[in-house]
Amino acid sequence: MIAPPPGTGRHPGWPARLGPLRVAAGMVELRKPKLTDATSWSRIRLSDRRHLEAWEPTVPGSWEERNGTLSWPAQWSALRALARRGLSLPFVITVDGRFAGQITVGNVVRGSLCSAWIGYWVGSWATSGGVATASVALVVDHCFTVAGLHRLEATVRPENAASLRVLEKLGFRQEGVFRRYLDVAGAWRDHLCFALTTEDIPNGLVSRLLASGRAHVD
Ligand code: ACO
């Protein structure tokens, strides 16, 4: 059987390559996760524990076990399986071709919702240079066009100033507070809920970033 071109299958939008967009940190591109990402992924995750742990869901096992190279194949395989079932669109973020983080669209629900959540992390070596902002813009535009979604939500702890700033720069709308929403770093944490629907950005987020001078295409 001949596989349909990307974006035209039963679950449109994945796999895909998005970008490039040039930001202060370098050239940002998004691609599907690969089994061979194990070493780069693990190196950043192990050295960035303090940068990442306060914002990520609580998961059984030690940080070292969960983020060692040996745990990547199972995570990669789970991400790929969800993507193949149309439930997720997982991407690796690269900066100048180097693994820099991940951005994932999860819990894709179609039918009369056509909705999903978006989550992301960027290794400390690449932060504060516009990487997450560019990545979210690329993914949102992709989801609202090729992937056929109508609404995207992002939930953020009120203490997460950097992530709040990413969403603010992109014009996400704050819609409320989810009390004791997610078990993060060992406790049930309140989260602020932000969202965008297609009607909010008829010309997309990338065009907005380009117009603001925060990103460039060359
Ligand atoms: N207080 C206030 N603003 C801050 C802080 C801070 N402590 N730290 C950074 N910022 C600002 C930056 O200056 C920048 O704003 P500016 O462009 O106006 O100067 C903005 O926050 C960050 O924008 P980017 O550079 O596009 O984002 P970056 O590539 O640095 O990634 C991210 C941000 C993803 C939050 C990164 O810090 C990270 O991975 N943190 C740990 C994991 C995490 O929090 N993930 C998000 C969870 S919530 C969610 O997924 C919906």
Side-chain angles (χ1 to χ4, degrees):
M1 191 175 102
I2 299 171
T8 61
R10 203 167 131 236
H11 304 306
W14 197 91
R17 292 188 75 95
L18 308 182
L21 277 183
R22 185 160 54 78
V23 296
M27 199 64 93
V28 174
E29 292 182 85
L30 308 184
R31 60 158 172 84
K32 69 177 181 178
K34 297 181 203 164
L35 188 55
T36 52
D37 288 323
T39 307
S40 329
W41 171 82
S42 176
R43 189 178 297 134
I44 300 177
R45 301 275 315 172
L46 290 177
S47 64
D48 269 351
R49 177 175 180 171
R50 287 188 60 194
H51 169 60
L52 299 170
E53 197 173 25
W55 318 116
E56 299 200 350
T58 308
V59 180
S62 71
W63 185 264
E64 287 70 25
E65 280 164 8
R66 289 188 284 113
N67 293 286
T69 48
L70 292 180
S71 77
W72 175 250
Q75 295 198 36
W76 165 79
S77 174
L79 288 172
R80 191 176 64 154
L82 287 170
R84 286 180 166 179
R85 290 167 59 203
L87 300 174
S88 175
L89 291 86
F91 293 95
V92 158
I93 303 169
T94 63
V95 176
D96 296 332
R98 191 174 152 200
F99 189 109
Q102 289 177 270
I103 182 162
T104 304
V105 176
N107 196 25
V108 175
V109 182
R110 300 231 172 235
S112 50
L113 271 175
C114 282
S115 178
W117 55 249
I118 188 166
Y120 41 82
W121 66 268
V122 171
S124 59
W125 69 269
T127 51
S128 291
V131 174
T133 304
S135 302
V136 174
L138 287 166
V139 162
V140 168
D141 285 4
H142 181 68
C143 285
F144 283 174
T145 53
V146 177
L149 296 181
H150 171 251
R151 176 182 166 87
L152 283 169
E153 290 181 359
T155 53
V156 186
R157 289 183 63 184
E159 302 86 355
N160 193 342
S163 186
L164 292 174
R165 179 75 185 123
V166 169
L167 299 174
E168 179 188 54
K169 283 189 285 182
L170 292 170
F172 272 73
R173 177 179 52 252
Q174 188 181 325
E175 294 192 337
V177 184
F178 293 168
R179 296 289 176 203
R180 296 173 289 283
Y181 173 66
L182 194 61
D183 187 343
V184 171
W188 295 106
R189 312 285 183 177
D190 291 351
H191 281 65
L192 303 175
C193 175
F194 293 83
L196 279 177
T197 65
T198 54
E199 295 84 353
D200 296 319
I201 45 166
N203 300 317
L205 283 182
V206 170
S207 66
R208 190 181 284 183
L209 267 193
L210 296 176
S212 71
R214 288 187 179 277
H216 308 270
V217 283
D218 53 338

